[in-house]
Amino acid sequence: MEQRKLKIGGIIDGVGWNYTGWRHPAIPADASENIDYYVEKAIQLEQGKFDLIFLADVSHIGPGMIPHYLSMFEGVSVLSALSMVTHSIGLTATIATSYADPFTAARQIASLDKISKGRAGWNAITSNPGGLANYSRSHLSKADLYPMKKEFLEIVEGLWDSYEDDAFIRNKKSGVFYDPSKMHSLNYNGNYFSVEGPLNISRSRQGRPVIFQAGTSLEFMDVAAQHAEVIMAPGNDFNFLKGFATELRRKVAHNGRSPNDLLMMPSHSPIVGETEKEALEKLKEIESRMPYGYRLPRPLLMGSAEHVAEKIENWYQEGVMDILLIRQDYPAGFEDFIKWVVPILQDKGIFRKEYEMNTLRGNLGLPYPVNRYTKQ
Ligand SMILES: Cc1cc2nc3c(=O)[nH]c(=O)nc-3n(C[C@H](O)[C@H](O)[C@H](O)COP(=O)(O)O)c2cc1C
């Protein structure tokens, strides 16, 4: 089998993921709630042939948070808007299983999937415990969060199969709108949720949205091995990631799934220059706006474009980076990466020059999930 090419995603996070990024002259100070900014970045990432846009989220804020989180767009809402100005790039929103309601979440992401014609992804996370205070769930302990997440995922996946692919006939002449035998209730009764179904939206061109998950614990791995297709992981420790990926793929196989259908997606904040020196100057420039004497940890992907591309190729070949997820710490982070690093990855033959498909699942090389009732 031909090796799957490297995939690339971009996190758009407004004014950035640190405390002082908003002060940079090239960043609109209201970028986190500025739709024009998001549109510009989305188009830029699609021109760079990226596989997906990824949005992280918070469920609880307070005075100590980074500026981006203080006033920002809700994920599905802004991705619905971005779907109208893009054509092939995937759109992945984060919704926490500890706080949201599974019927509503299934409906929102499925709608995004239809609106975008098959480009939606869902990052299903337990989230940080702070959100318990905002969602009337203060009675729950951390020990509840993974059993709850498992139920949540079973429900959402079940609801996404409510209609078989040929359920809707819509024949004006005969007056037959749909085939009731191809509509299915779920009748799920769990410890945390009970949902009858069916969901009132049918499947998209990619069958159903791609499921992403982020975490590292053993409890996380057990749920991910059953339900995750993409794993977002911290990107700073190669040895950890190698062991983590090996163990997770073993668990995936143990669950009767192909380990090839699980993609590892470490996140990075590359700083690239035409030369090593130029990259270092960019890092210093970011640090110059931070409190006196503050030093940023040196990004793993920092230096000349050739150097950064070599590192990426190595991680990709080692099986720990099926998808490279980047966020920009430096305002021109995406632009630099697309201008200098992407062409090198293309020349190496490991990254696409054109989109293969226009669904997220298709571009990621993930299989089309046959509806469970059709399969039966
Ligand atoms: C790479 C990564 C990204 C994450 N992104 C988010 C996020 O966007 N929003 C959030 O509330 N929590 C996020 N989390 C936190 C997880 O939802 C979870 O609370 C955390 O991983 C602790 O769970 P664990 O110890 O079981 O892994 C992230 C975690 C990881 C490892």
Side-chain angles (χ1 to χ4, degrees), residues 16-80:
W17 211 48
N18 62 58
Y19 286 89
T20 51
W22 67 274
R23 296 178 63 189
H24 196 285
I27 288 275
D30 66 350
S32 301
E33 46 164 90
N34 179 335
I35 187 61
D36 300 330
Y37 178 82
Y38 273 74
V39 166
E40 184 191 315
K41 290 292 155 187
I43 291 173
Q44 187 176 54
L45 296 182
E46 187 161 77
Q47 281 168 349
K49 311 295 174 204
F50 277 38
D51 290 82
L52 60 108
I53 293 166
F54 185 94
L55 300 182
D57 201 18
V58 280
S59 304
H60 182 266
I61 62 163
M65 292 297 242
I66 57 169
H68 168 58
Y69 288 143
L70 296 178
S71 181
M72 66 190 290
F73 293 125
E74 186 281 316
V76 177
S77 311
V78 67
L79 290 180
S80 298

Side-chain angles (χ1 to χ4, degrees), residues 7 10 45 51 64 101 132 146 160 209 214 230 253 283 319 325 333 347 349:
K7 313 295 172 187
L45 296 182
D51 290 82
D101 170 77
L132 292 168
Y146 280 99
W160 282 344
V230 180
L283 181 73
L325 182 66
D347 286 347

